[in-house]
Amino acid sequence: MASPEAVGAPPEVSAGIDQKKPSKQQIDPYNVAGEIDDSGNTKAIDYDRLIEEFGTQPLTEHHLRRFEEVTGKPAFRLMRRKLFFSHRDFDKILDAYEKYGSFMLYTGRGPSSGSMHLGHCIPFLFTKELQELFDVPLVIMMTDDEKYLYTRNKNDGVQKKGNAAEDFLEYAHENIKDIIALGFDPKKTFIYTDYEYLGGHFYRNTSEFESLVTFNQASGAFGFNASTSIGFAAYMAKQCAAAFPSSYPELFGYPDYRPPHYDPSAQRRHKALASIPTLIPCAIDQEPYFRILRDRCERMTDPHPKTCLILSKFLTALQGPGGKMSASDPNSAIFMSDTPAQIKNKINKHAFSGGRETAEDHKKYGGNPDVDVAYTYLSYFLEDDAELEDLAQKYRSGEMMTGEMKARCIAELQKFVGEFQERRKEITHEVMRTYTTPRKMEYGGNPRVKASPSEANGSLTETPAAAAAGKDGRGTKGERKAAKLAAKKEGKLPVRQKDQDGGGGDATAS
Ligand code: TRP
């Protein structure tokens, strides 16, 4: 886990040409770096070791099959290729979706600068695919506060140019426009910055969560020490409380609850929302937050099911495996604002090659696509499995040269970034505001689960017990009551439907 120095260390260490001191692989929310061996070479990130260290589960063929069975659709390429390679309780979210028809997706981004690069897009591309396949609501948290506090903490509290709270809010707005341009559906996507949205039920969940984490536990996970600012140390609770659907009552049809609205029924957090499960797609460096979250979901006054995670690898820096693309090192990353010429230059000049020293040797012995950066990028962006396999084979056999692999990669990235830029032009401030306005989400959920229209469009109102009571998943009122009583006895009732008094998706008619 993170060492006590972690928080003061540079934010992103990318693989480079500089000679470095030997060090162990370090992955946590504030550091991503492969091992540096005795001769100063950066090694590729060892993901198997990470799974072991973090205690997460590998994503297997079984999960892919189960995913296809539940959604009736083929798994997305990032999942097929195990670029999302690990999880916690992914099976459980599939089970819940199969039984009760919906869940909430949650992901986020720390707006450290105004421009996003390809690596930042990966979790969002994947999340968008999941949202489309499952037809469920999604919240995206932009942590302007986290990046502000992190930067001030790193600078010993010294405020530098471009580092005011307002600057990070501004970066968040620009990043939100980029995220929207990736194609999220405004009907079921809520994007917010912490500075603009935090308050109300969210803040109450945050307070409660803060009360469940001791400073020792937080420093164990994040490497905080006595010199860490209390603001930065406290931030983690916000990233955790953001996973609770009860932090966002408006999205599930509950009336506005912030001043000047004093409707008493809207003041208390809604127990019904606590039963909605959450799935977080994110890069594995964020896992330390959610380990702490999962251990406390069931300790909340309104217990939440343990949050499920699906975790990705990092998009390698241009310099090769061992580091990730870093916004602070322009030569390590392809930015979403790069021109076709810049993309071409960066790949040709900087992309680490898995080819041989000379063309002769390459033809004779073949190259290694596994460490070849151009091939690696293609594995993220090229949809066609057969073509990808063909490229790998031809590279291995020496039939295909590094220059050709790079050309194929350049074409694919220029297409992806070019199409993105076309959409990005249309994202005005007003468009952004439609996504950042809290409003009732419209989503259908699992079409195979029969539910009344208000249920389908609201929260996960059924209890497992109620579902077991009737073939339509609800049964009669009497049956539901009996089933609930039985479940209560067994201690597994996650929600009381009565608590839906504030509105939302409860269908009381039977
Ligand atoms: N801490 C994350 C970052 O620095 C931002 C974030 C907040 C996040 N909530 C999240 C990322 C949930 C993934 C999932 O980028």
Side-chain angles (χ1 to χ4, degrees):
M1 238 178 265
S3 66
E5 290 79 38
V7 161
E12 287 168 340
V13 186
S14 63
I17 351 123
D18 323 338
Q19 186 74 12
K20 291 185 183 144
K21 280 198 216 128
S23 61
K24 287 204 304 200
Q25 159 169 306
Q26 192 183 4
I27 312 287
D28 62 63
Y30 300 100
N31 298 277
V32 174
E35 179 184 334
I36 298 172
D37 67 15
D38 291 339
S39 18
N41 298 317
T42 306
K43 293 176 70 180
I45 292 168
D46 183 342
Y47 287 105
D48 290 337
R49 214 178 77 205
L50 208 51
I51 283 188
E52 222 165 84
E53 255 171 45
F54 281 10
T56 58
Q57 302 299 313
L59 197 78
T60 63
E61 288 306 310
H62 155 79
H63 297 104
L64 294 191
R65 254 180 282 125
R66 184 77 185 111
F67 177 88
E68 300 187 344
E69 184 181 291
V70 171
T71 62
K73 311 244 173 62
F76 185 42
R77 63 173 186 272
L78 294 174
M79 204 195 264
R80 288 201 301 274
R81 296 175 193 159
K82 308 272 166 59
L83 299 169
F84 276 75
F85 73 111
S86 185
H87 74 102
R88 284 192 193 273
D89 282 345
F90 188 59
D91 336 51
K92 289 208 176 133
I93 207 83
L94 293 175
D95 291 347
Y97 184 73
E98 195 169 51
K99 264 197 190 139
Y100 311 117
S102 106
F103 58 86
M104 183 180 91
L105 280 165
Y106 157 47
T107 191
R109 156 154 177 79
S112 48
S113 75
S115 45
M116 283 176 57
H117 59 57
L118 279 180
H120 295 141
C121 295
I122 300 299
F124 291 108
L125 285 177
F126 184 68
T127 303
K128 176 183 162 253
E129 207 72 21
L130 292 182
Q131 186 191 37
E132 276 172 19
L133 282 178
F134 289 112
D135 194 3
V136 292
L138 160 68
V139 297
I140 301 177
M141 177 189 213
M142 304 300 293
T143 58
D144 39 11
D145 56 346
E146 174 194 20
K147 289 300 156 187
Y148 169 72
L149 288 161
Y150 171 73
T151 311
R152 291 294 293 257
N153 192 70
K154 202 172 54 160
N155 298 342
D156 285 331
V158 179
Q159 164 108 32
K160 296 195 176 158
K161 201 163 170 281
N163 284 342
E166 289 74 11
D167 294 317
F168 288 95
L169 174 59
E170 176 72 30
Y171 300 152
H173 284 165
E174 289 312 303
N175 288 184
I176 291 174
K177 292 177 190 163
D178 285 349
I179 291 168
I180 292 170
L182 292 171
F184 289 98
D185 183 344
K187 289 208 192 73
K188 44 187 177 237
T189 307
F190 174 52
I191 312 181
Y192 61 95
T193 96
D194 289 351
Y195 283 138
E196 289 180 344
Y197 181 68
L198 259 64
H201 292 190
F202 194 131
Y203 189 51
R204 280 168 239 173
N205 276 337
T206 301
S207 276
E208 189 178 351
F209 197 87
E210 283 168 341
S211 77
L212 298 177
V213 186
T214 67
F215 190 70
N216 262 344
Q217 290 161 341
S219 13
F222 297 99
F224 300 145
N225 60 36
S227 308
T228 305
S229 81
I230 57 170
F232 184 57
Y235 161 76
M236 51 112 8
K238 301 180 181 82
Q239 179 156 336
C240 292
F244 298 142
S246 63
S247 294
Y248 314 94
E250 316 94 316
L251 308 192
F252 300 94
Y254 286 91
D256 199 351
Y257 57 94
R258 296 195 195 191
H261 306 275
Y262 289 109
D263 177 350
S265 74
Q267 287 311 315
R268 287 200 166 269
R269 280 169 284 163
H270 305 287
K271 282 201 175 68
L273 297 185
S275 75
I276 301 175
T278 301
L279 172 66
I280 308 179
C282 64
I284 194 160
D285 62 328
Q286 299 296 307
E287 205 273 338
Y289 284 105
F290 303 131
R291 191 182 309 160
I292 292 192
L293 165 66
R294 281 169 49 89
D295 283 347
R296 288 161 183 77
C297 286
E298 288 152 340
R299 286 170 59 198
M300 295 291 285
T301 312
D302 297 336
H304 286 254
K306 272 192 181 178
T307 304
C308 309
L309 311 176
I310 182 154
L311 305 161
S312 77
K313 299 182 178 176
F314 306 101
L315 188 62
T316 357
L318 281 158
Q319 286 72 19
K324 66 166 179 172
M325 281 193 180
S326 159
S328 51
D329 176 1
N331 285 334
S332 76
I334 308 267
F335 289 91
M336 298 313 287
S337 52
D338 280 352
T339 62
Q342 282 172 315
I343 295 176
K344 187 172 166 192
N345 277 340
K346 283 187 185 176
I347 297 285
N348 280 336
K349 245 203 201 143
H350 300 292
F352 181 83
S353 162
R356 300 276 172 175
E357 295 273 320
T358 64
E360 211 170 54
D361 273 6
H362 190 90
K363 280 185 189 142
K364 203 157 151 195
Y365 305 111
N368 181 3
D370 300 333
V371 296
D372 191 89
V373 165
Y375 177 80
T376 304
Y377 292 174
L378 282 166
S379 72
Y380 280 82
F381 291 95
L382 190 64
E383 182 59 41
D384 187 341
D385 287 346
E387 188 188 349
L388 191 69
E389 185 46 44
D390 189 51
L391 291 172
Q393 241 169 22
K394 287 193 170 135
Y395 204 57
R396 269 203 191 93
S397 73
E399 191 186 333
M400 184 177 214
M401 309 301 288
T402 292
E404 294 170 275
M405 187 66 89
K406 286 192 169 182
R408 185 67 192 88
C409 175
I410 290 165
E412 202 58 31
L413 295 187
Q414 284 175 337
K415 180 167 154 260
F416 178 75
V417 173
E419 287 171 1
F420 167 87
Q421 289 172 358
E422 281 304 305
R423 291 190 301 266
R424 177 65 170 80
K425 276 192 230 151
E426 310 295 320
I427 315 297
T428 59
H429 187 80
E430 286 66 39
V431 172
M432 178 191 68
R433 281 305 179 211
T434 60
Y435 285 82
T436 61
T437 305
R439 73 225 107 95
K440 191 172 181 207
M441 300 281 102
E442 293 171 40
Y443 55 96
N446 188 346
R448 296 169 178 180
V449 174
K450 282 223 174 69
S452 71
S454 57
E455 272 181 315
N457 203 20
S459 60
L460 191 87
T461 50
E462 283 174 44
T463 65
K471 47 186 173 323
D472 67 346
R474 288 182 61 77
T476 65
K477 236 181 190 168
E479 281 169 336
R480 287 210 299 278
K481 202 166 175 191
K484 269 200 271 184
L485 274 176
K488 211 172 207 171
K489 258 193 200 149
E490 290 170 44
K492 38 178 177 185
L493 192 61
V495 59
R496 282 182 302 178
Q497 299 199 348
K498 248 212 189 133
D499 293 314
Q500 290 256 118
D501 54 0
D506 190 23
T508 34
S510 50

